[in-house]
Amino acid sequence: MGVRGLQGFVKSTCPHVCTVVNLKEMAEHHLNRHPDCTPTIVVDAMCCLRYWYTPESWICGGQWQEYYASLRDFVKTFASVGIKLIFFFDGMVEQNKREEWVKRRLKNNREISKIFHYIKSRREQPGRNMFFIPSGLAIFTRFALKALGQETLCSLQEADYEVASYGLQHNCLGILGEDTDYLIYDTCPYFSISDLCLESLDTVMLCREKLCESLGLHVADLPLLACLLGNDIIPEGMFESFRYKCLSSYTSSKENFDKKGNVILAVSDYISKVLHLHQGEKKLEEMLPLGPNKALFFKGVASYLLPGQKSPWFFQKSKSVTMLDKQEISMSSDPESKREVPICTEPESKQEVLTCADPDSKEKLPICADPILKEEVPICADPEPKQEVPKCADSESKKEVLMCIDPKSKKEVPMCVDAESNQEILMYIDPEPKQGIPICTHPVINQKLSVGTDPELNLEASMCVYPEVTQEDPMDMGPEIKEQVTMVSDPEILKIAQMHHVHAESYLVYNIMSSGEIECSNTLEDELDQALPSQAFIYRPVRQRVYSILLGGCQNGASATYPVVKEWFVYPGNPLRHPDLVRPLQMTIPGGMPSLKILWLNEEPAVQAQRLDIFLSCFNLSSSREELQAVESPLRALCCLLIYLFIQVDTLCLEDLYAFIAQALCLQGKSTAQLINLQLEYINPRAVQLGSLLVRGLTTLALVNSACGFPWEMNEFMPWNVFDGKLFHQKYLQSEKGYAVEVLLEQNRSWLTKFHNLKAVVCKACMKENRRIVGQTHWNSHHTGRWGRQSSSSHRMSSAYSRSGQGHPWRDQGPGKRQYEHDQWRRY
C-alpha cells in the first residue's frame, strides 16, 4: 500500500524522519493544549489486522476467542491512558484501485499455493514468514470492536482518505496505521502500528516535515512526488522512463543507497531544482511527460488533497481532454467556464465520464458520475441507438438529457443504458434541486461535496468542494442521497442501508444496493484439491437470493429483467480480468416478498416472523423452521450453515459433521487459556479448507441477516461463539481416525445429548432433500492433493451443470464476463 519504495527508503536512508514517541505522553500534552478535546487516535484498521492477530495458530481457520481477547487488551490499554480510538475499515474498493486490488489477490493466490505445498510435505503449519490472515478477519474485527464499545466506521470511498480527513478535521492526536500514504497527506501525525509496543505505548512517528527537509521539498509537493514514484492509482511503470532520466542526470547518487532510494532522491531533486524553477510560468503538463496519462496523473495528485486543501501544481485555465480507458475526461479548471474537474469512472461500466464543453464551440458533451462518490448521472447515451430517444434540455446547462416514459406516471424520466448488461437504468432526479451540480455527502463529517472549481484557487480536494465543516450527525444525509445513481431508487431505504454500512452494522448490503458490485478476498483453498468446490460457488445461490431481496426480487421467473451484480470473488482458476456477472435468484415467499421498507422498518410481530421466513428461504430451509427454532442460540445459526453445506457438497461425510458439531459444543466449556495450550498432532490440508469454508459461511450468514432486517442478533454469527480453528482441527483428526462420539465430546454427558439433537436436526433436513449423510468409507489419497470418496455419488453442485463427464466444473468456470443464470446454480 502507499508509495512504492518509500517505507524502506525512510527507514534506511532518512532515519531521522522516524522518531520514537510515547503516546501516553503525547496525549497528556495534547490535553494540556486542548483541555476540552479528548485525545483521539484514528486507526486504519485494515493496516492493523496482522498486528492484532497474535495467536500462534492461523492455519486452521482462526483462533477467534484468543483474537477477541487480543483486541480487548488493545482497547483497554488506550482507554486506561485516556486515549479515544476511532476505527476505520475499507467499505469498498475504488475503481481506480481495482487493478491494484486484483494484482494483490493474484499474488496471494501464489502464496496460498506455497502454503498448501508446505502443509502436504511437512504436515505442520508454516512459519510466520508465510503468515496468511484467517478468512473473514476484517469483517469480524468490525463486529468485535463494536461489541467492545468502540466507534467503528466503514468507508464510502478509499479508507485512507477518510482516515486522513477525519484526523485533520477533528484535530486528532494522530493516525495509527502502516501506509506511506499517511506521509503524503497533509494531516495529523502518523504513527506506525508495526512499531507499537502495547505495554509502554511507545511507537515510531514518521514526520512528513522532516522528510521534506531531507528531500528539499515542500509538504505540498509530496502528492506530486507520490504519483511520479507510483502508488495505488498510478501504475509503477507509467513514469519509469522519466525516473530513469532523473536518475541518469542526478549527480548526488551515493553507492550506499539502494536503487529505490536513489530514484526517490533523483525525482525529488528534479522537483526541487527543475520544476520549482519554472513553477508559475509553465503548466505542469508542459514540464512533465504526461502524454496520454494526463487525466489519471492529475486525478492521482488530487486524490491526496483533503477538504479545503489545494495544490500549487494545478493552474487556472489549464484545459485538455484526453482519453482514459476509452472514455473522455475533462481536465478543465477554468473558473470562468465553471466547468467540472476531472473524474474517471469504472472501466467495466462503459459509461461516459464527466466532460466539459469548450465555451467557444458550445459543444455539448456527456456527463456521468464518479462511481466512487455515487453521484447522479444526468446524461448517458445509448452507445448504439436504433431509434430516436426523447430528450429534454436543462435550462441552465442547455445539455440534452435522454428521457424515457414512466408507464405509471406517464412522465418522462431520465435514463441511461448500461453498456455491459444492456439494461435501461432509470435515473432518480431530486424534485427540488437546489443547484445544477451533483452533490455527495462526506460519510463522517457530513459535508456537501460540490463537484466544481473555486474561481480563486487552483483545484479543489479530490474533485469536491468542502465549503464548511459541520458537526451534524454523519448519517443526516438530507436530500443529497436522492441524487445518487444506484441499483435502487428509494432514497429512504438507501439512506438506512448507508447508515448501517458506515456504522459497520451490516455486511455488503449497501455495496449491492449502491453500486451492484461486491468483492471477496482470498480464502485458504487448495487449487489442487478438486473434491471441495470453492466457497465462492458454494455460497453463490445464497447471495443470489439476497440480490433478489435487495434489488426488487424476481417475480414470475422474470429474473432476466433485473440487473446483474458484479462479483469479484477470488477462487482457484479465476484470473480476475472481469467480474462474474450474477443475476438474482427467485424465491417463493408465502404472501409475496415484502418491500424493504416493511422488512427493515416495521416492528410488528408478523413482520418479525416474516424476516425469519425470508432468512431461512435464502438457505432453502423453510421446511426446517420448527426444528431450527428449537435449537438454542448461537448453535441454531451453525445448524443452518451445516445443513446448507452438507446439502450442497456430497463429499462432506458423517465424520466431518461430527467434527463440526463436537468442536462447537466443546468450545462452550473452554477458556481462552485452554484453547491457547491446545496442541495438534499434525495439520491436515482438507481440514484447513473446511475451517475456512465454515468461517466464510458465517460471513454469508451475516450478509443474509443484514439483508433481511436482522431477524437474529449478529452476535449469533460471530466465530468466537461457535468456532475455533485449532479445536476443530483436533476434532477432525480424531473423527477421521474413528474415535467414538464420547471421546470427541471429552466424556461430557450434557454435551452428548446436545450432540445427538443437533445431528438429528441436520440429518433430518438433509433427508428432505434426498441427501443422506454417510460415514467415510475410504479416502482416495493415491493422487497428491486430491481427496474424494470412492462412492458413485457426485457433488450435488456438479450435478446441476457438469459438462459431459469433465470432472469438477467449479474449477473450470470461465469467470470473464459470463452472466451466471440461476438455473445452472440451483441445487433445489
Side-chain angles (χ1 to χ4, degrees):
M1 293 185 291
V3 183
R4 319 281 189 218
L6 187 57
Q7 185 83 21
F9 169 79
V10 167
K11 291 190 174 182
S12 63
T13 308
C14 305
H16 64 285
V17 173
C18 306
T19 306
V20 177
V21 295
N22 183 271
L23 296 178
K24 179 182 178 182
E25 294 175 1
M26 291 191 71
E28 291 171 351
H29 295 153
H30 188 276
L31 195 57
N32 289 336
R33 294 193 304 270
H34 310 282
D36 298 329
C37 180
T38 302
T40 302
I41 291 180
V42 197
V43 183
D44 186 337
M46 300 301 289
C47 294
C48 300
L49 295 178
R50 289 174 176 266
Y51 176 90
W52 287 331
Y53 192 86
T54 56
E56 181 182 342
S57 174
W58 50 269
I59 196 73
C60 301
Q63 303 308 111
W64 295 98
Q65 274 195 20
E66 191 177 346
Y67 179 66
Y68 188 86
S70 173
L71 285 176
R72 184 174 57 233
D73 292 342
F74 183 87
V75 167
K76 280 185 177 179
T77 301
F78 281 89
S80 67
V81 297
I83 296 177
K84 179 182 179 181
L85 300 176
I86 306 288
F87 297 88
F88 273 84
F89 287 82
D90 277 323
M92 54 187 62
V93 178
E94 291 190 6
Q95 293 308 323
N96 54 19
K97 295 195 175 184
R98 177 65 69 187
E99 184 179 348
E100 185 64 26
W101 184 89
V102 167
K103 194 181 298 181
R104 290 174 185 167
R105 302 292 80 77
L106 296 178
K107 179 185 176 186
N108 288 346
N109 277 344
R110 295 190 292 271
E111 294 171 354
I112 289 173
S113 295
K114 293 177 182 177
I115 289 171
F116 275 101
H117 177 75
Y118 186 98
I119 296 172
K120 292 171 188 175
S121 59
R122 306 282 187 89
R123 303 218 307 173
E124 64 184 20
Q125 175 180 279
R128 191 76 179 188
N129 62 313
M130 296 179 73
F131 172 73
F132 196 86
I133 64 172
S135 298
L137 191 68
I139 300 159
F140 292 121
T141 302
R142 300 180 205 169
F143 293 109
L145 290 169
K146 290 191 73 66
L148 291 168
Q150 298 303 293
E151 186 170 349
T152 308
L153 300 170
C154 252
S155 69
L156 290 174
Q157 58 187 109
E158 189 68 22
D160 58 8
Y161 182 87
E162 293 193 13
V163 167
S165 297
Y166 191 97
L168 177 67
Q169 297 291 334
H170 293 79
N171 191 30
C172 290
L173 181 65
I175 293 168
L176 186 61
E178 202 67 29
D179 188 337
T180 48
D181 276 340
Y182 295 126
L183 265 177
I184 307 301
Y185 288 111
D186 187 6
T187 182
C188 58
Y190 162 39
F191 306 126
S192 167
I193 182 65
S194 64
D195 293 301
L196 174 65
C197 174
L198 194 60
E199 290 75 19
S200 64
L201 284 181
D202 287 336
T203 188
V204 168
M205 179 176 73
L206 291 87
C207 180
R208 62 186 64 87
E209 287 77 13
K210 289 183 179 179
L211 175 64
C212 288
E213 184 181 330
S214 300
L215 300 177
L217 302 176
H218 308 302
V219 172
D221 298 329
L222 291 177
L224 176 65
L225 174 67
C227 290
L228 290 175
L229 294 175
N231 54 21
D232 289 349
I233 295 179
I234 308 297
E236 189 172 11
M238 183 177 292
F239 293 103
E240 187 172 359
S241 59
F242 168 76
R243 292 192 296 269
Y244 179 79
K245 179 181 177 182
C246 291
L247 189 61
S248 61
S249 60
Y250 181 55
T251 56
S252 301
S253 251
K254 296 183 180 179
E255 293 182 0
N256 58 333
F257 291 169
D258 59 14
K259 182 180 178 182
K260 285 275 188 182
N262 278 326
V263 167
I264 293 172
L265 289 170
V267 173
S268 301
D269 186 68
Y270 185 87
I271 294 173
S272 63
K273 293 182 179 177
V274 178
L275 299 187
H276 280 173
L277 182 65
H278 300 288
Q279 190 176 6
E281 300 174 6
K282 294 182 180 180
K283 299 174 183 177
L284 184 62
E285 55 264 38
E286 294 176 5
M287 296 188 286
L288 289 176
L290 299 181
N293 304 309
K294 188 187 304 180
L296 181 61
F297 178 77
F298 279 117
K299 182 176 176 65
V301 173
S303 70
Y304 287 109
L305 303 180
L306 301 179
Q309 295 179 352
K310 297 152 193 179
S311 171
W313 294 104
F314 291 108
F315 297 92
Q316 296 176 358
K317 300 183 183 298
S318 167
K319 295 181 183 178
S320 65
V321 176
T322 185
M323 299 298 292
L324 177 64
D325 294 323
K326 299 182 181 179
Q327 300 170 69
E328 287 190 20
I329 297 181
S330 167
M331 288 307 304
S332 171
S333 61
D334 184 353
E336 297 176 1
S337 71
K338 297 181 181 178
R339 298 301 180 188
E340 314 288 7
V341 292
I343 292 181
C344 75
T345 191
E346 163 200 8
E348 298 297 332
S349 71
K350 303 296 186 298
Q351 293 179 342
E352 291 175 303
V353 193
L354 179 68
T355 60
C356 68
D358 188 327
D360 297 328
S361 67
K362 298 182 180 179
E363 182 183 355
K364 302 182 180 100
L365 297 179
I367 295 179
C368 192
D370 183 352
I372 308 305
L373 300 177
K374 306 293 182 299
E375 294 170 353
E376 184 181 320
V377 182
I379 303 177
C380 186
D382 185 344
E384 295 181 3
K386 299 195 171 44
Q387 56 182 354
E388 291 188 3
V389 183
K391 300 179 181 179
C392 74
D394 181 65
S395 57
E396 295 184 8
S397 66
K398 297 182 180 178
K399 291 186 166 84
E400 293 181 341
V401 183
L402 297 181
M403 306 295 292
C404 70
I405 305 299
D406 185 347
K408 294 181 180 179
S409 65
K410 307 286 185 177
K411 295 179 180 179
E412 293 182 337
V413 184
M415 71 152 195
C416 75
V417 178
D418 182 85
E420 189 159 309
S421 63
N422 199 30
Q423 297 174 18
E424 294 178 350
I425 304 173
L426 298 183
M427 300 294 122
Y428 183 90
I429 301 296
D430 187 350
E432 297 180 0
K434 298 184 174 50
Q435 54 182 320
I437 307 174
I439 294 177
C440 67
T441 303
H442 191 281
V444 178
I445 56 179
N446 194 36
Q447 294 176 336
K448 293 181 178 180
L449 315 183
S450 172
V451 183
T453 55
D454 187 328
E456 299 178 0
L457 306 166
N458 302 326
L459 182 68
E460 290 300 340
S462 191
M463 284 64 80
C464 292
V465 178
Y466 286 65
E468 59 183 353
V469 180
T470 63
Q471 298 299 323
E472 300 171 9
D473 178 39
M475 291 317 304
D476 185 15
M477 299 288 291
E480 284 78 27
I481 196 163
K482 296 178 183 178
E483 298 199 2
Q484 295 180 338
V485 176
T486 63
M487 302 287 279
V488 297
S489 59
D490 188 333
E492 183 182 1
I493 283 299
L494 197 61
K495 180 178 178 178
I496 294 169
Q498 189 186 61
M499 178 184 68
H500 288 308
H501 172 92
V502 169
H503 293 296
E505 296 167 350
S506 66
Y507 172 54
L508 289 183
V509 167
Y510 180 69
N511 305 64
I512 295 166
M513 297 177 70
S514 60
S515 65
E517 187 167 22
I518 61 173
E519 54 275 323
C520 180
S521 188
N522 305 76
T523 305
L524 281 179
E525 296 175 337
D526 183 6
E527 62 182 358
L528 299 179
D529 180 2
Q530 296 193 353
L532 285 174
S534 170
Q535 64 88 18
F537 296 146
I538 291 176
Y539 298 116
R540 177 172 279 167
V542 180
R543 298 194 302 272
Q544 288 178 281
R545 294 185 180 103
V546 169
Y547 304 154
S548 175
I549 297 170
L550 299 178
L551 303 181
C554 309
Q555 303 299 325
N556 302 319
S559 63
T561 63
Y562 287 86
V564 297
V565 173
K566 298 176 182 178
E567 290 189 348
W568 293 91
F569 274 61
V570 181
Y571 52 83
N574 184 5
L576 293 172
R577 295 190 187 96
H578 307 285
D580 294 336
L581 305 182
V582 182
R583 293 191 182 279
L585 179 57
Q586 183 177 2
M587 288 193 296
T588 302
I589 304 296
M593 180 71 71
S595 69
L596 288 179
K597 272 189 179 177
I598 293 175
L599 192 62
W600 289 3
L601 303 178
N602 194 313
E603 295 300 329
E604 294 179 5
V607 176
Q608 179 64 14
Q610 198 170 28
R611 290 188 186 108
L612 181 56
D613 285 336
I614 298 171
F615 177 95
L616 295 176
S617 293
C618 286
F619 293 93
N620 203 47
L621 297 178
S622 299
S623 61
S624 300
R625 174 176 177 156
E626 187 176 336
E627 292 89 344
L628 287 168
Q629 283 188 303
V631 178
E632 64 183 18
S633 170
L635 296 176
R636 58 182 177 179
L638 179 67
C639 239
C640 284
L641 187 53
L642 292 179
I643 293 169
Y644 180 81
L645 279 176
F646 277 78
I647 290 175
Q648 286 291 309
V649 186
D650 272 359
T651 49
L652 294 177
C653 60
L654 203 57
E655 286 76 13
D656 299 328
L657 180 61
Y658 286 1
F660 279 127
I661 297 177
Q663 72 85 30
L665 292 173
C666 292
L667 182 62
Q668 312 303 315
K670 299 285 185 186
S671 67
T672 302
Q674 287 175 311
L675 294 170
I676 291 173
N677 294 325
L678 190 65
Q679 299 298 315
L680 298 175
E681 184 181 350
Y682 63 92
I683 299 297
N684 181 296
R686 184 172 183 273
V688 169
Q689 288 196 85
L690 290 179
S692 295
L693 181 60
L694 187 88
V695 173
R696 285 297 188 197
L698 294 174
T699 66
T700 305
L701 282 165
L703 165 62
V704 176
N705 199 52
S706 303
C708 294
F710 307 99
W712 286 347
E713 294 291 332
M714 276 295 198
N715 194 46
E716 298 203 27
F717 315 120
M718 298 302 106
W720 45 87
N721 291 324
V722 294
F723 180 78
D724 179 89
K726 210 161 38 165
L727 184 60
F728 166 72
H729 216 94
Q730 182 194 61
K731 301 306 175 185
Y732 177 90
L733 296 178
Q734 292 174 346
S735 183
E736 187 186 38
K737 292 177 181 177
Y739 284 26
V741 172
E742 291 79 6
V743 177
L744 295 180
L745 298 174
E746 302 170 8
Q747 308 300 332
N748 188 306
R749 289 183 178 275
S750 63
W751 291 347
L752 185 62
T753 302
K754 290 182 179 179
F755 178 92
H756 287 299
N757 288 339
L758 291 173
K759 175 193 170 187
V761 171
V762 174
C763 291
K764 181 179 178 182
C766 288
M767 285 299 293
K768 292 178 182 178
E769 297 295 330
N770 298 318
R771 164 67 159 109
R772 183 169 174 264
I773 306 175
V774 297
Q776 171 182 306
T777 55
H778 180 70
W779 289 101
N780 179 10
S781 56
H782 296 296
H783 303 285
T784 304
R786 293 177 181 269
W787 296 80
R789 288 178 292 156
Q790 286 187 338
S791 62
S792 58
S793 69
S794 61
H795 285 277
R796 297 188 175 254
M797 290 192 69
S798 67
S799 63
Y801 57 90
S802 59
R803 305 180 193 143
S804 57
Q806 286 188 5
H808 305 280
W810 49 81
R811 298 299 186 193
D812 307 315
Q813 292 299 319
K817 295 197 174 186
R818 174 176 178 175
Q819 294 191 10
Y820 291 94
E821 300 294 344
H822 70 264
D823 287 341
Q824 73 180 115
W825 295 104
R826 290 196 65 178
R827 156 67 187 92
Y828 309 105

